[in-house]
């Protein structure tokens, strides 16, 4: 929002969810979400392509100026019965040019009966692959009855809990 805590509290320009997709198949390109109240992005019964990068940062409430975060659980991305494809574009956003990061939420990503796929393997060993970062959250990735199949570098760091997987398959290259 760019404002102070006093300006942010009760401000009319922020919503519960930054990007909400229900029963749709959108292609969302090069987006970032900040200062929504409960989720940066929420996908329900949808097939969503996130291309050329995605950032979700500090989506939570501030109950009063100078106060700590609100008690409501938050997620950088929340997917329910959905497929989320992190898609590169070889013309102008591939490998390390594809930036993906979720920070400062209860869950970096919360998957329920969903699939998270995509990214790009590093063509030169470690160099120039896609970096998929879930950092500085209470839990980096929480997934229930889901599939996570990613290419590139999966960075789940500086979270209180890195991975919380229940009946979930996780594979990386």
């Amino acid at each position: 929002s760019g404002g102070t805590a006093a300006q942010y509290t009760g401000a009319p320009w922020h919503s519960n969810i930054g990007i909400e997709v229900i029963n749709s198949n959108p292609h969302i390109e090069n987006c970032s979400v900040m200062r929504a109240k409960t989720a940066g992005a929420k996908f329900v019964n949808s097939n969503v392509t996130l291309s050329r990068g995605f950032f979700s940062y500090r989506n939570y409430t501030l109950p009063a100026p100078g106060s700590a975060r609100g008690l409501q659980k938050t997620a950088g991305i929340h997917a329910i019965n959905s497929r989320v494809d992190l898609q590169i574009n070889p013309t102008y956003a591939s490998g390390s040019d594809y930036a993906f990061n979720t920070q400062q939420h209860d869950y970096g990503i919360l998957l329920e009966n969903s699939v998270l796929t995509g990214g790009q393997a590093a063509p030169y060993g470690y160099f120039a692959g896609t970096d998929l970062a879930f950092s500085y959250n209470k839990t980096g990735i929480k997934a229930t009855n889901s599939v996570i199949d990613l290419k590139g570098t999966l960075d789940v760091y500086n979270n209180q809990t890195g991975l919380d997987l229940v009946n979930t398959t996780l594979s990386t290259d």
Side-chain angles (χ1 to χ4, degrees), residues 106-166:
D106 289 295
Y107 307 106
I109 189 166
L110 177 58
L111 300 170
E112 300 177 66
N113 303 308
S114 294
V115 174
L116 176 66
T117 188
Q120 179 185 11
Y124 309 108
Y126 181 75
F127 180 70
T130 304
D131 187 25
L132 308 168
F134 301 87
S135 55
Y136 302 97
N137 302 289
K138 289 184 181 174
T139 300
I141 298 174
K142 180 174 176 68
T144 304
N145 301 320
S146 296
V147 173
I148 302 169
D149 183 15
L150 298 171
K151 294 183 177 17
T153 303
L154 178 59
D155 281 342
V156 183
Y157 63 95
N158 286 341
N159 302 291
Q160 290 175 13
T161 301
L163 300 169
D164 182 359
L165 308 177
V166 178

Side-chain angles (χ1 to χ4, degrees), residues 57-79:
Y57 185 65
R58 291 187 183 266
N59 293 291
Y60 52 81
T61 60
L62 293 174
S67 70
R69 295 169 48 157
L71 298 177
Q72 188 169 17
K73 296 286 186 190
T74 65
I77 296 175
H78 187 181

Side-chain angles (χ1 to χ4, degrees), residues 2-15:
T4 65
Q7 292 169 321
Y8 174 74
T9 304
W13 61 79
H14 60 111
S15 63

Side-chain angles (χ1 to χ4, degrees), residues 17-157:
I17 300 167
I19 299 170
E20 187 170 27
V21 177
I22 300 173
N23 298 321
S24 296
N25 302 312
H27 187 114
I28 300 170
E29 189 169 297
N30 204 23
C31 282
S32 62
V33 182
M34 179 187 262
R35 293 296 192 199
K37 294 179 186 176
T38 61
K42 186 171 185 178
F43 309 134
V44 180
N45 299 320
S46 297
N47 186 358
V48 178
T49 299
L50 296 177
S51 70
R52 295 186 60 206
F54 180 83
F55 282 81
S56 184
Y57 185 65
R58 291 187 183 266
N59 293 291
Y60 52 81
T61 60
L62 293 174
S67 70
R69 295 169 48 157
L71 298 177
Q72 188 169 17
K73 296 286 186 190
T74 65
I77 296 175
H78 187 181
I80 303 168
N81 301 318
S82 294
R83 179 182 180 88
V84 180
D85 184 9
L86 309 178
Q87 192 174 86
I88 61 106
N89 181 307
T91 304
Y92 47 77
S94 63
S96 59
D97 291 336
Y98 182 102
F100 179 91
N101 188 279
T102 66
Q103 288 189 15
Q104 302 295 332
H105 304 95
D106 289 295
Y107 307 106
I109 189 166
L110 177 58
L111 300 170
E112 300 177 66
N113 303 308
S114 294
V115 174
L116 176 66
T117 188
Q120 179 185 11
Y124 309 108
Y126 181 75
F127 180 70
T130 304
D131 187 25
L132 308 168
F134 301 87
S135 55
Y136 302 97
N137 302 289
K138 289 184 181 174
T139 300
I141 298 174
K142 180 174 176 68
T144 304
N145 301 320
S146 296
V147 173
I148 302 169
D149 183 15
L150 298 171
K151 294 183 177 17
T153 303
L154 178 59
D155 281 342
V156 183
Y157 63 95

